[in-house]
Amino acid sequence: MRRPSTLARLVLPLALVAALPVVAAQVYTWKDAKGVTHYSDAPPAGQKMKPRAFGEHAATPPAAPKAVVNQDCTNARSNLTLLQGTGKVGVDEDKDGKADREITASERAARLKVAEGQVELYCTGPSAGVATTKQT
């Protein structure tokens, strides 16, 4: 293992000692009439300024993970719940936003099987779940 040179052993501590006043110093910021931002260790005369402290930043809590909704799974579960119920289910055949007729018992059974298959397809596996978390 190589030992640091004598010069490095002398320069490093001196550099650290020389940097201490800079770390502890107060820094002021202000903008001049042209909109240029200035930084100084002395407050400006007659300028609106704000002191800046370095190394004393308030800890910002990490953002909460956002819920990612698997819309296909949500729709499949909603359809399954609707078809498993006893309420009327209408069909909009002409796509005008209004139900044109009610589905028959055999249509309900067929659509129920399709909905069960969709829940199995969309709600299982690595991208499954109604809500998962996504790191931001």
Side-chain angles (χ1 to χ4, degrees):
M1 180 181 212
R2 208 177 120 189
R3 295 181 62 190
S5 69
T6 305
L7 180 62
R9 285 188 291 180
L10 290 175
V11 171
L12 185 61
L14 289 175
L16 289 173
V17 170
L20 284 176
V22 173
V23 173
Q26 181 70 43
V27 177
Y28 298 91
T29 62
W30 73 94
K31 289 191 179 190
D32 64 14
K34 295 180 181 178
V36 177
T37 302
H38 297 273
Y39 298 91
S40 174
D41 60 349
Q47 292 282 336
K48 182 179 178 184
M49 52 75 192
K50 58 182 175 182
R52 305 244 341 207
F54 293 96
E56 298 175 9
H57 298 291
T60 315
K66 295 181 181 178
V68 176
V69 177
N70 180 340
Q71 195 64 44
D72 293 328
C73 177
T74 302
N75 290 338
R77 288 183 193 272
S78 178
N79 290 341
L80 182 63
T81 302
L82 181 68
L83 291 166
Q84 287 175 333
T86 58
K88 295 180 180 180
V89 178
V91 178
D92 181 16
E93 293 176 337
D94 61 2
K95 309 291 185 210
D96 65 353
K98 299 177 186 172
D100 297 317
R101 66 177 182 85
E102 188 178 328
I103 63 171
T104 64
S106 61
E107 284 178 311
R108 182 183 287 259
R111 290 174 187 244
L112 185 61
K113 288 186 187 252
V114 170
E116 288 169 346
Q118 288 175 335
V119 167
E120 186 176 330
L121 175 67
Y122 296 126
C123 300
T124 58
S127 61
V130 175
T132 58
T133 56
K134 177 181 179 182
Q135 297 295 326
T136 56

